[in-house]
Amino acid sequence: MTTFTLHTPDTAPVASRSILENVEAAWKFIPNLHRVLAESPATLEAYSAAFSLFDKSSFTTKERQVVYLAINFENECEYCMSGHSALAAMSGVEAEVIEALRENAPVANPRLQALRTFAASVTRTRANLNPGEVEAFLTAGFTKQQVLEVILAVSVKTISNYVNHIAKTPLDGFVSGTKWVAPSNRMIAAE
């Protein structure tokens, strides 16, 4: 099995070093995802830029976490689902909403459920939506701008989810209490 290096600012390619230093300054540590991404300065830069841009979207902090969790579930990314479960809790997302998103159960809040449904469908269908799905999203109180911002979030999570699948990125210490096992891996473990 190919092993990916968990880079530090000292071991990373030169073009990745300042990005890792900026991440460390902002987060007070360097997440393992960023340490893996540092192998490719262009990919690290693209991920960091897209992540920052989604933070500037018109969604609230809570809504952004709902979008991310919905996408992580669809892509079965154990690293990102664990990390965003912790980030969602820190962002004020209610525990029952986080649990519902982790277990693919309905969310009681109709607006958040509509957001989750739309983000999951965009991810699952690669945006080949049924004609009424965009209309349902808009009817739930979202905007055309937010339709496009969900696509931005899918691009962010495609980079991180796919990298984590390939690299088998180890969980960061701060998510030890939010470890998540993807449904397909639960079935394998049960056999």
Side-chain angles (χ1 to χ4, degrees):
M1 178 169 93
T2 302
T3 302
F4 283 79
T5 302
L6 296 175
H7 284 287
T8 67
D10 294 330
T11 66
V14 172
S16 291
R17 291 178 182 177
S18 65
I19 298 171
L20 290 180
E21 289 166 354
N22 290 339
V23 167
E24 187 171 31
W27 290 62
K28 308 302 181 228
F29 76 106
I30 302 172
N32 288 336
L33 168 63
H34 293 77
R35 296 173 68 199
V36 169
L37 284 167
E39 187 73 30
S40 167
T43 308
L44 175 61
E45 183 177 357
Y47 173 76
S48 297
F51 189 91
S52 293
L53 289 169
F54 187 60
D55 270 354
K56 296 176 184 176
S57 73
S58 61
F59 290 114
T60 67
T61 303
K62 285 179 160 183
E63 289 170 340
R64 289 194 305 271
Q65 290 304 319
V66 168
V67 170
Y68 278 151
L69 287 166
I71 296 166
N72 293 335
F73 183 90
E74 290 300 319
N75 287 332
E76 292 199 328
C77 184
E78 294 178 353
Y79 177 92
C80 285
M81 183 62 90
S82 299
H84 282 283
S85 294
L87 293 173
M90 288 187 264
S91 298
V93 178
E94 296 79 7
E96 61 273 9
V97 172
I98 296 169
E99 189 60 25
L101 292 163
R102 288 168 57 96
E103 296 305 320
N104 202 29
V107 174
N109 178 307
R111 181 176 171 83
L112 295 182
Q113 178 59 30
L115 179 57
R116 174 265 200 94
T117 298
F118 186 74
S121 188
V122 168
T123 305
R124 186 175 47 259
T125 68
R126 294 184 301 276
N128 290 302
L129 302 172
N130 294 324
E133 290 182 275
V134 173
E135 290 307 315
F137 185 64
L138 297 174
T139 299
F142 294 100
T143 66
K144 290 177 186 173
Q145 174 182 341
Q146 290 171 319
V147 168
L148 301 177
E149 290 171 347
V150 167
I151 295 168
L152 172 59
V154 171
S155 71
V156 173
K157 290 289 99 189
T158 298
I159 294 171
S160 62
N161 293 171
Y162 287 16
V163 166
N164 292 321
H165 288 314
I166 290 172
K168 305 291 185 226
T169 309
L171 294 181
D172 298 296
F174 86 100
V175 300
S176 61
T178 60
K179 183 176 174 23
W180 181 77
V181 178
S184 63
N185 288 335
R186 294 177 200 170
M187 291 186 282
I188 293 168
E191 293 176 353

